[in-house]
Amino acid sequence: MKKIFFLLLTVSVFASCSKNNPTDEEHPQNKNCKTLSFVQLLGEGTQGSYDEWISTFYYDSQNRVSKIEKKYKNTIKFGRFIYEGNTIKYSEDGLDVIYTLNNKGLIINTLRKNPYNTNEPQVNYSYNSSNQLALITSEDDNYFYGPIKITRELIYENGNLVKIMGKTSLLHEPKTLIGTFTETFTFTKFNAPLYNSAYLELFENASSVDDSENLLYSLGYFGITSKNMVKSMTPPINNTDNKTRYYDSKADQNGNVIEVIPNSSDIYKYNYQCE
């Protein structure tokens, strides 16, 4: 919701092989390592206490993630992936997402089905000649503002996503209001971890760090990913938090990120299995 709020502020300023499993070369991590679990320590309290969320990953015989187990205190929830032809279906606690793939095994369309919101936008993705995600387009019929179209163009340098150039169009009769925004990134020398797209904020519908889009991005289903861990992210002017964000990272001897401190109160940790 904060992104929609920011985008509306931006508009006001400017209104005047056929495959289902990507190759190892497209995977940002060490090809001999896979992520077993991801731990979020959120909201540091008194005496260094945190709320702990643990995501554990299970793989099928083709080394594809088939299930996510999410544990918080005494509550356990599961997210499941089903791979069928040119689609990937993800289900979790009442939410169903259908991902449509092209003949290269890359996601070109996302359709979310949520029983609490029947008006979820459809999101389309296109790629450049290097099989990198190049354009994200979504349209939504907002109750208060009418139809909203958002396009985001992704720019790469040295194998990393360094800039996102976006445009927001409010199709408000009798005229269309258009605003633009830019986000920029710098990178460390460490390998990109699972959920690198969460730090890049690529997927507007992500409700948490371990959203299915972020997982599929890191596995190569949204094209060849940024190869390194994000060091900083500079959000657009007029964002609700317009300060540059810095991510403090630690890596193991293989260059895989094992810890990220995204802000002053949270810690993220990764656990790998390497051959």
Side-chain angles (χ1 to χ4, degrees), residues 146-270:
I148 300 175
K149 182 177 181 180
I150 303 171
T151 60
R152 303 168 76 200
E153 181 183 0
L154 285 64
I155 310 298
Y156 298 83
E157 289 181 5
N158 301 319
N160 286 317
L161 174 63
V162 295
K163 182 183 294 187
I164 296 177
M165 301 177 64
K167 182 172 72 173
T168 304
S169 302
L170 293 185
L171 309 179
H172 186 72
E173 297 295 340
K175 63 180 180 179
T176 298
L177 305 179
I178 297 176
T180 60
F181 58 94
T182 301
E183 300 167 89
T184 57
F185 310 92
T186 63
F187 294 83
T188 70
K189 295 182 179 180
F190 301 147
N191 298 330
L194 201 69
Y195 307 133
N196 203 41
S197 58
Y199 310 121
L200 298 171
E201 297 191 358
L202 290 183
F203 303 103
E204 296 178 18
N205 289 319
S207 58
S208 65
V209 173
D210 54 343
D211 193 82
S212 58
E213 283 94 343
N214 291 320
L215 177 58
L216 291 172
Y217 173 88
S218 68
L219 296 175
Y221 287 100
F222 284 98
I224 298 178
T225 66
S226 286
K227 64 182 181 180
N228 297 121
M229 170 61 196
V230 179
K231 181 179 180 180
S232 71
M233 180 267 200
T234 301
I237 298 174
N238 289 328
N239 193 0
T240 53
D241 177 11
N242 60 6
K243 296 181 180 179
T244 297
R245 306 171 197 171
Y246 296 94
Y247 302 96
D248 187 12
S249 305
K250 296 180 182 178
D252 63 15
Q253 60 184 3
N254 295 308
N256 294 317
V257 172
I258 57 175
E259 182 177 287
V260 178
I261 301 177
N263 53 54
S264 60
S265 62
D266 299 343
I267 300 174
Y268 301 155
K269 295 185 177 183
Y270 298 86

Side-chain angles (χ1 to χ4, degrees), residues 11 33 70 123 186 243:
V11 169
C33 298
K70 302 178 182 182
V123 186
T186 63
K243 296 181 180 179

